Amino acid sequence: QLGLLEEVGRQIADSFDEMEILQRSIEAVVERFGYAEAAISLLVPDNIMEVTVISGTEDFGYSPGFRQDVGKGIIGHTAAIRKTYISRNVAEDPYYFSNDEHYGSAICVPIFTGKNLYGALYVESIEADAFNQEDASTLETLVTQISASLQRARLYSRAQEHLRVMAAVQAVSRVVVRSLDLETTFTAVVNELKNSFGYSHVSIYLLKEDYLHLGAQVGYPLEMVISKIHISQGVSGRKKKKKTVQFIQD
């Protein structure tokens, strides 16, 4: 058990990718103890637990993307009670369900990031009564390691995003300072935004009386380019009237 914790700690220490951290963790559990299956399900919108990564020697009919409501199944039940659940015999467990008959045992441990439920680690053995409180303590320590690595990965991701934003702002600022020509400035800005953030379409419009006139654009084919928009039309027009950022999700 100590070897498992050391192995997982070593394998996830150099990763800043969430899915890689999760996959490496469950693979270490299966390889070290030979359990039939290990999986991590994450809490997704609508109070649903979704299998995200899976590893094992047995086929239980589960695959990434399998979903179950919080409260249903051992994974859903663990998410609902927010504490470790041990099933000593899955054939008699009121929460266990599968496509086939199975005989063995299972343990499920909730994963938290801070005080928020992030997901659950599920481990199943073909042997009955394979898990005890010592196993529970080990896996609870393991998910604490996983949670710390996930938070580190998220901090790294936010830091990288912040650096990318600052680099883009500095690049645009340099252009604005160096050029007195609006067309040159606008062209540099749309290109910098596209290249820095991967946006597919970027355009800048300049207000003149009741019309927004295209200053520069990138990404639009010529037949889709709109050179002039009345302030009563479109998202750009709505932005002018409401004087607030317009955020359109779909």
Side-chain angles (χ1 to χ4, degrees):
Q1 291 172 331
L2 287 172
L4 168 67
L5 297 177
E6 186 276 331
E7 183 178 343
V8 171
R10 178 166 38 81
Q11 290 196 21
I12 65 180
D14 63 346
S15 178
F16 292 101
D17 180 84
E18 288 192 33
M19 292 303 104
E20 185 176 51
I21 290 169
L22 300 179
Q23 188 68 52
R24 287 182 180 182
S25 299
I26 61 167
E27 286 175 355
V29 171
V30 170
E31 290 170 6
R32 180 162 287 271
F33 294 107
Y35 293 134
E37 180 182 69
I40 291 179
S41 294
L42 301 184
L43 181 65
V44 298
D46 299 324
N47 219 27
I48 291 174
M49 300 294 289
E50 180 178 302
V51 174
T52 303
V53 292
I54 194 165
S55 180
T57 57
E58 302 288 330
D59 182 9
F60 290 101
Y62 297 125
S63 59
F66 177 82
R67 291 182 160 205
Q68 54 195 134
D69 294 334
V70 169
K72 293 185 178 180
I74 290 179
I75 294 173
H77 178 63
T78 300
I81 63 174
R82 297 169 70 91
K83 62 182 180 179
T84 300
Y85 179 82
I86 297 176
S87 175
R88 302 192 181 280
N89 186 344
V90 296
E92 299 175 356
D93 192 281
Y95 300 105
Y96 184 83
F97 68 90
S98 177
N99 297 327
D100 300 309
E101 288 188 15
H102 286 283
Y103 303 91
S105 52
I107 184 171
C108 194
V109 182
I111 303 172
F112 295 94
T113 53
K115 295 182 179 180
N116 299 318
L117 181 69
Y118 175 80
L121 167 65
Y122 176 82
V123 184
E124 187 164 341
S125 172
I126 58 174
E127 297 179 4
D129 208 17
F131 303 99
N132 55 35
Q133 282 305 127
E134 191 172 329
D135 297 307
S137 296
T138 300
L139 294 178
E140 286 166 358
T141 304
L142 174 65
V143 300
T144 300
Q145 281 185 311
I146 294 172
S147 178
S149 291
L150 292 172
Q151 292 185 58
R152 176 172 51 82
R154 288 176 177 177
L155 284 172
Y156 176 80
S157 177
R158 286 200 292 269
Q160 291 298 104
E161 180 64 20
H162 180 68
L163 287 173
R164 192 158 59 113
V165 170
M166 292 305 297
V169 169
Q170 288 178 345
V172 170
S173 297
R174 284 195 295 270
V175 172
V176 172
V177 169
R178 290 173 184 172
S179 176
L180 297 177
D181 179 64
L182 273 183
E183 185 177 348
T184 301
T185 300
F186 289 165
T187 300
V189 169
V190 295
N191 281 304
E192 187 63 42
L193 289 173
K194 183 178 186 298
N195 295 333
S196 295
F197 301 103
Y199 298 145
S200 58
H201 304 78
V202 186
S203 57
I204 290 180
Y205 283 85
L206 190 64
L207 179 65
K208 295 178 182 178
E209 297 179 346
D210 289 338
Y211 285 90
L212 293 162
H213 295 263
L214 182 65
Q217 69 86 23
V218 63
Y220 292 94
L222 289 177
E223 64 272 16
M224 289 182 61
V225 173
I226 302 174
S227 59
K228 189 168 69 172
I229 303 173
H230 192 270
I231 58 172
S232 65
Q233 295 178 308
V235 176
S236 300
R238 190 191 315 168
K239 161 71 183 76
K240 168 64 179 65
K241 287 185 293 184
K242 292 184 176 294
K243 294 183 172 59
T244 57
V245 172
Q246 299 301 299
F247 178 52
I248 312 301
Q249 296 193 52
D250 185 353

